[in-house]
Amino acid sequence: AQKITQTQPGMFVQEKEAVTLDCTYDTSDQSYGLFWYKQPSSGEMIFLIYQGSYDEQNATEGRYSLNFQKARKSANLVISASQLGDSAMYFCAMREAYGGATNKLIFGTGTLLAVQP
Amino acid sequence: DVKVTQSSRYLVKRTGEKVFLECVQDMDHENMFWYRQDPGLGLRLIYFSYDVKMKEKGDIPEGYSVSREKKERFSLILESASTNQTSMYLCASSLGQVPYEQYFGPGTRLTVT
């Protein structure tokens, strides 16, 4: 069965430092996608970054980058130059093929990041 | 920008009541989803829909039903609310093509007393 594992329930980082949030996945599919979402205390899930299984380069979006290691089945999120506004819950998710034009997402349990001044 | 709205941010209902949670998206997305979020469990899929009047069970459909009469609207129904359905409910929508990125609404925090 497909599964996403986030082993860090909570993390602290100093403002302006980089931080890595871990995510490992398990799938037997050849084609899949990996996502990271941010959930601030307001509750809304915000899409951050996407990596397709066939993408050769690691995805980057501004201060966010995804360290994709296919052989190790890991898709870690790297946030550079942390800001106080980065304090939030972060979820890793994998697209599970359902068929046709619908693909479900499987979510990990999340990592709560606290950025300290 | 994609906009997904949910009818209420906070809702308090009594045990046994019928509860309707409404979700509307304005980007003509084919797919819509309902999740519940509980501490330590992440997001769990309740139901999803890939077309009008079409629905599929997710991982935890028991105690819930859904309705999709129009493409932009997806409703979650708790036929007889119970205290173990106290949770945060999140609605999402996506296009039916790669990368299938899901856009989420602000969530409804439901308390059943």
Side-chain angles (χ1 to χ4, degrees):
Chain A
Q2 294 172 316
K3 189 178 179 182
I4 290 282
T5 301
Q6 295 179 255
T7 57
Q8 305 154 312
M11 288 192 69
F12 291 96
V13 66
Q14 291 293 122
E15 196 177 7
K16 299 181 184 177
E17 291 187 352
V19 63
T20 298
L21 307 183
D22 295 341
C23 173
T24 58
Y25 61 92
D26 189 17
T27 181
S28 56
D29 291 343
Q30 296 301 309
S31 176
Y32 52 90
L34 297 153
F35 302 78
W36 277 92
Y37 283 84
K38 172 184 178 182
Q39 187 180 41
S41 56
S42 58
E44 188 166 352
M45 297 279 284
I46 302 167
F47 166 73
L48 295 178
I49 196 166
Y50 167 79
Q51 179 87 41
S53 58
Y54 293 119
D55 294 340
E56 294 186 353
Q57 295 206 341
N58 286 342
T60 59
E61 289 287 347
R63 294 186 299 112
Y64 304 109
S65 61
L66 200 153
N67 185 359
F68 182 46
Q69 298 188 37
K70 198 170 183 177
R72 298 181 60 185
K73 294 190 174 180
S74 73
N76 298 338
L77 177 71
V78 180
I79 305 175
S80 62
S82 297
Q83 301 172 356
L84 295 178
D86 294 335
S87 295
M89 182 72 88
Y90 289 82
F91 290 96
C92 180
M94 179 170 63
R95 184 178 69 230
E96 176 185 2
Y98 169 73
T102 301
N103 278 238
K104 301 187 292 181
L105 291 185
I106 303 167
F107 286 83
T109 53
T111 296
L112 183 61
L113 178 66
V115 180
Q116 297 176 320
Chain B
D1 276 352
V2 176
K3 188 85 172 170
V4 180
T5 57
Q6 295 183 229
S7 49
S8 306
R9 289 302 305 270
Y10 300 93
L11 208 53
V12 180
K13 294 292 181 180
R14 294 192 181 275
T15 301
E17 279 193 83
K18 191 168 186 175
V19 182
F20 293 87
L21 302 182
E22 303 283 338
C23 175
V24 178
Q25 50 94 4
D26 65 358
M27 282 301 292
D28 204 34
H29 283 175
E30 293 90 343
N31 304 324
M32 296 189 75
F33 307 83
W34 274 107
Y35 296 90
R36 66 175 282 175
Q37 182 181 9
D38 301 288
L41 296 178
L43 277 72
R44 294 180 291 168
L45 183 64
I46 304 172
Y47 268 97
F48 64 101
S49 168
Y50 53 90
D51 201 352
V52 176
K53 296 192 184 295
M54 306 305 290
K55 60 185 179 184
E56 292 289 339
K57 293 180 180 179
D59 301 316
I60 51 165
E62 297 78 18
Y64 304 94
S65 62
V66 289
S67 172
R68 193 168 181 200
E69 296 297 318
K70 293 184 178 181
K71 190 174 185 179
E72 68 271 18
R73 189 179 297 270
F74 192 35
S75 303
L76 180 69
I77 302 154
L78 287 66
E79 295 288 342
S80 178
S82 63
T83 54
N84 62 14
Q85 292 178 310
T86 291
S87 186
M88 169 72 97
Y89 290 87
L90 291 163
C91 174
S93 70
S94 77
L95 281 170
Q97 61 189 49
V98 174
Y100 301 96
E101 169 195 337
Q102 291 186 17
Y103 296 86
F104 284 80
T108 295
R109 189 167 293 281
L110 173 67
T111 302
V112 183
T113 62

